[in-house]
Amino acid sequence: MGLFDLKAKVYKPVNEVNLGADSDETYIHANVKAPRMAGILVKVFAWLLELRLVGAFIVEILKRNNLVHKLVSFANVSEPPLFTPTHAWEDNVEQQVCLIKSNSTPADRVAQAIDCLPERKENAINNSGSNFHRWTIKDYYRAYCSRGTTPLLVAKRFLAAVKESSEPNLNMSFFINYDAEDILRQAEESTLRHERGTPISVLDGVLVAVKDEIDCMPYPTTGGTKWLHKARSCTEDAYCVRQLRSCGAILVGKTNMHEIGAGTSGINPHYGSTRNPYNIDKISGGSSSGSAAVVCAGLCPVALGVDGGGSVRIPASLCGVVGFKPTFGRVSHSGILPLNWTVGMAGILAGTIEDALITYAAICHHIPFRQPTPSLPEITFPLLTSTNSISNIKFAKYGKWFNDSTEDVRSCCENALDMLCKHHGWKTVEVTVPEIEEMRLAHYATIASECTAALAPHLAKLDFAEMGWDVRVAYQVYRSFHSREYLNAQRIRNRQMHFHREIFKTADVIVTPTTGVTAYPLQSDALNTGELDYINGAALVRFMIAGNFLGLPTVTVMVGCNKEGMPIGLQFIGRPWSEATLLHLAYAMQALCSKSYKKPMVFYDLLKKEELLPRNGMTKA
Ligand SMILES: *[C@@H]1O[C@H](CO)[C@@H](O)[C@H](O)[C@H]1NC(C)=O
Ligand SMILES: *[C@@H]1O[C@H](CO)[C@@H](O)[C@H](O)[C@H]1NC(C)=O
């Protein structure tokens, strides 16, 4: 009777689930029952939830109404739990790749990545006409080598641009922290190396921004909060930051993010809400909001983010840039805030697939994090010079899921996919990816449990008044999960691992829209309190979960815009360790769509065309 009177789901054994197009599995549309709240409403709601008994009661009602009880908490699952999404190394048969030596340094790997890139046609830049062009890592390198400009000059332009973007008329809120002196010092050192003709790699003098969840000296790591850096100090660079520095990259500061990554809008009441450079009245998406927006606005060709529930790919898609999250374990976790363990990992935001590859080359490593496998995964890079000769690619598409997006997103993604298949003679196969909503809720229970455990040691010192209202609400829901719910979630993880392994026997990648909606309006009532918008939130994470819960590599690339000019992304989800194929396919997609890319409303040109050409009278180093 009452609260717990519900028919919990009894899951059938995995081998009885039909994964074909003719499957009778039901697709559950996320039917989120929670109204949007902002301003005073969020405050009242947070207060209610923080009342011991009343709060616990409301949370259980919420979990019941949103099917958490039915599909996770009280469900009957026969598979044993699987606690981490680690994958044994499999030697995927990948076409057109080069194998990277296991003892290579980041700079060696970056050099090998460069060898995989096609020469950009000179006239692509010179006669850009109506085409919009983003400066790439190679453009910066060329400008530095030809002495057209210097890292120091670019760093100064960067500082002026950030200043301009922070003025009240724009109020972009890109960064939580940046230190002009530290940036100029790095730029001077890089300028000297270029003058001497001894740059370390193509990344030498290239500006890279880092999400404020990743340790990077000399900054504190706030995680978008007002308190976390007081409880945990940052004493050295995270491993991935160290790798970038060793290639000569200039680290330009800590980008804004959704507080502790506990949301997908990028609205942050403490440091300002990052605005979308395509339209400053829209959200940028989150939680790696600043990292996506700085790349979109031309301030850096690449930035680092962290992706625990789509946190790299969502803002990338909403801001029209590339978002790339490699296989779980491919990038080190060392020096990244441990907000959750088994779903999050650093990822890359970049203006182009080529730049995502170069950055990946710098930060990937051979010894995966907590890998139980006896043989170490090999690293391969895609030979982007020969994408055209890749044959026989099969995209798995689950129509009901693919269609569960707004009409502008659905049609744009479908057209892009058709164009890609037609152009290369590739195929789409209809499949059924079962239990999508079940997986979303199981992932939620997991990330919630991990986040609660991660914050537990700090609770004694934690003053709730220092937390944003939306995060206070999220925290009350997060802490409500019990061991039974957690274990059921891990059993669902086991099922999904099985389903995905099976699907990858019939197709190379799974293709989906990246998000179910495009960037939505940033409403003023949310600026100080944050907002609760679980309906849009569910649409943003709808296609994200396999990348986190199952640790699969994923990439999003922009394929067009809606009528309002807001970007739309298409996502590829790959087999474990198939980063090279994934980048190949995304590169092919980018090649067909990039002509239609438009310049964002807020965009800074940190290079000038003429700076790429050798100067008169100067000899090339
Ligand atoms: C989980 O951690 C990842 C990175 O570790 C982060 O991107 C994400 O926002 C975190 N989410 C929560 C809810 O803690
Ligand atoms: C998805 O939408 C398209 C266009 O409306 C339609 O042709 C197709 O049948 C739909 N697929 C499914 C599985 O609903």
Side-chain angles (χ1 to χ4, degrees):
M1 277 283 297
L3 188 54
F4 300 106
D5 173 28
L6 55 99
K7 286 220 173 59
K9 173 161 177 164
V10 179
Y11 287 81
K12 44 174 141 151
V14 283
N15 47 18
E16 287 172 21
V17 178
N18 178 353
L19 305 177
D22 57 343
S23 173
D24 59 0
E25 288 293 308
T26 38
Y27 176 82
I28 303 177
H29 289 267
N31 182 13
V32 178
K33 293 200 178 119
R36 174 183 182 273
M37 284 189 215
I40 185 76
L41 273 180
V42 185
K43 295 191 187 181
V44 172
F45 194 52
W47 283 324
L48 284 176
L49 289 183
E50 285 166 9
L51 295 174
R52 225 167 218 287
L53 292 173
V54 179
F57 185 72
I58 300 175
V59 168
E60 291 313 314
I61 300 273
L62 278 178
K63 282 161 71 179
R64 176 197 152 103
N65 287 349
N66 289 290
L67 302 185
V68 178
H69 285 169
K70 178 173 171 166
L71 301 180
V72 182
S73 316
F74 301 105
N76 189 333
V77 197
S78 54
E79 287 74 26
L82 178 73
F83 295 97
T84 60
T86 43
H87 294 278
W89 162 246
E90 294 164 51
D91 195 0
N92 297 313
V93 182
E94 291 191 287
Q95 303 176 53
Q96 304 295 346
V97 296
C98 70
L99 184 68
I100 306 306
K101 280 198 221 71
S102 64
N103 57 357
S104 54
T105 65
D108 291 342
R109 291 195 300 264
V110 165
Q112 296 192 59
I114 292 295
D115 289 340
C116 296
L117 302 186
E119 276 302 316
R120 191 215 290 269
K121 286 169 219 91
E122 206 60 43
N123 53 6
I125 302 172
N126 291 333
N127 326 327
S128 44
S130 62
N131 273 4
F132 157 59
H133 173 75
R134 277 179 203 287
W135 300 116
T136 63
I137 292 172
K138 269 173 91 176
D139 291 335
Y140 282 99
Y141 186 69
R142 184 131 57 100
Y144 298 154
C145 290
S146 68
R147 307 286 166 89
T149 187
T150 63
L152 188 58
L153 207 68
V154 168
K156 286 181 177 161
R157 284 183 193 153
F158 167 86
L159 290 169
V162 174
K163 185 152 174 279
E164 191 187 310
S165 73
S166 316
E167 274 159 19
N169 61 325
L170 288 179
N171 205 6
M172 298 304 286
S173 305
F174 287 138
F175 286 92
I176 287 180
N177 234 318
Y178 67 97
D179 178 341
E181 224 172 274
D182 180 68
I183 296 168
L184 293 174
R185 182 190 51 72
Q186 296 176 68
E188 277 163 12
E189 289 171 10
S190 171
T191 300
L192 266 178
R193 288 192 295 269
H194 277 284
E195 273 171 13
R196 290 196 209 105
T198 56
I200 305 171
S201 79
V202 286
L203 281 167
D204 205 331
V206 171
L207 310 185
V208 179
V210 174
K211 183 184 188 183
D212 205 9
E213 188 177 340
I214 303 176
D215 286 345
C216 177
M217 297 299 282
Y219 307 101
T221 307
T222 69
T225 71
K226 279 287 181 196
W227 59 271
L228 198 53
H229 47 293
K230 295 185 242 165
R232 173 191 174 278
S233 53
C234 166
T235 51
E236 59 177 7
D237 283 342
Y239 193 77
C240 53
V241 170
R242 216 181 313 152
Q243 288 171 306
L244 282 167
R245 251 195 236 281
S246 78
C247 295
I250 300 178
L251 281 308
V252 292
K254 307 300 291 292
T255 54
N256 205 345
M257 60 180 283
H258 204 111
E259 185 172 2
I260 64 166
T264 47
S265 64
I267 295 173
N268 185 313
H270 314 299
Y271 300 101
S273 298
T274 307
R275 291 169 182 275
N276 194 311
Y278 273 95
N279 178 341
I280 63 172
D281 296 322
K282 307 263 184 177
I283 61 159
S284 56
S287 65
S288 309
S289 45
S291 290
V294 293
V295 172
C296 175
L299 290 172
C300 314
V302 293
L304 295 183
V306 185
D307 194 320
S311 284
V312 162
R313 292 160 287 152
I314 292 168
S317 176
L318 267 43
C319 292
V321 299
V322 171
F324 175 40
K325 195 214 75 80
T327 311
F328 185 72
R330 198 56 124 175
V331 178
S332 168
H333 285 234
S334 148
I336 299 178
L337 284 186
L339 292 177
N340 49 66
W341 295 273
T342 71
V343 291
M345 201 183 77
I348 295 161
L349 297 113
T352 62
I353 292 292
E354 296 91 312
D355 283 356
L357 171 61
I358 295 171
T359 312
Y360 172 61
I363 69 170
C364 65
H365 69 159
H366 271 95
I367 304 169
F369 173 73
R370 293 200 215 117
Q371 271 304 310
T373 70
S375 61
L376 290 181
E378 284 171 350
I379 298 175
T380 55
F381 291 161
L383 288 166
L384 298 182
T385 41
S386 46
T387 303
N388 279 331
S389 55
I390 291 189
S391 57
N392 258 335
I393 291 291
K394 290 202 196 86
F395 295 101
K397 182 180 167 201
Y398 180 24
K400 286 181 192 153
W401 188 31
F402 197 99
N403 280 7
D404 193 6
S405 47
T406 56
E407 178 52 27
D408 47 359
V409 171
R410 190 203 62 75
S411 58
C412 179
C413 288
E414 186 156 295
N415 291 341
L417 180 62
D418 286 349
M419 187 163 61
L420 184 64
C421 287
K422 222 174 257 149
H423 192 272
H424 291 278
W426 296 337
K427 288 202 173 55
T428 305
V429 287
E430 270 292 329
V431 299
T432 295
V433 186
E435 302 169 14
I436 301 274
E437 181 67 357
E438 290 84 337
M439 175 161 67
R440 182 178 77 85
L441 296 174
H443 167 267
Y444 187 83
T446 306
I447 201 166
S449 306
E450 294 187 4
C451 189
T452 307
L455 294 182
H458 306 303
L459 278 189
K461 282 182 270 169
L462 195 85
D463 177 1
F464 275 92
E466 281 185 317
M467 278 166 92
W469 294 97
D470 65 320
V471 175
R472 283 168 70 164
V473 169
Y475 177 71
Q476 293 305 324
V477 182
Y478 282 4
R479 65 191 286 270
S480 74
F481 285 94
H482 297 292
S483 51
R484 169 175 184 172
E485 300 171 293
Y486 174 75
L487 284 163
N488 266 353
Q490 308 319 303
R491 293 162 129 173
I492 293 172
R493 168 149 40 196
N494 199 357
R495 293 173 68 81
Q496 287 294 341
M497 285 290 228
H498 171 85
F499 296 145
H500 281 73
R501 257 196 311 273
E502 292 299 311
I503 289 168
F504 286 127
K505 286 180 186 161
T506 60
D508 301 276
V509 291
I510 299 171
V511 61
T512 71
T514 306
T515 55
V517 292
T518 53
Y520 54 85
L522 183 56
Q523 299 186 43
S524 54
D525 61 355
L527 296 178
N528 294 321
T529 54
E531 75 178 359
L532 300 175
D533 186 344
Y534 290 115
I535 297 180
N536 273 316
L540 289 178
V541 304
R542 180 159 308 143
F543 303 103
M544 293 293 108
I545 305 303
N548 306 104
F549 205 37
L550 313 180
L552 299 172
T554 51
V555 64
T556 170
V557 59
M558 178 173 170
V559 290
C561 283
N562 69 0
K563 282 188 221 77
E564 292 178 289
M566 299 316 290
I568 293 170
L570 186 74
Q571 175 182 237
F572 299 124
I573 304 170
R575 296 189 177 105
W577 316 114
S578 71
E579 284 85 356
T581 296
L582 218 52
L583 291 174
H584 251 308
L585 303 182
Y587 178 74
M589 193 70 263
Q590 172 186 279
L592 294 179
C593 294
S594 61
K595 282 181 221 79
S596 69
Y597 292 178
K598 300 262 174 357
K599 189 167 173 167
M601 188 193 269
V602 176
F603 185 79
Y604 299 96
D605 258 320
L606 300 191
L607 277 186
K608 315 242 173 296
K609 262 183 220 165
E610 56 278 12
E611 291 173 345
L612 272 73
L613 308 168
R615 277 213 187 146
N616 279 347
M618 293 284 287
T619 43
K620 206 174 163 220

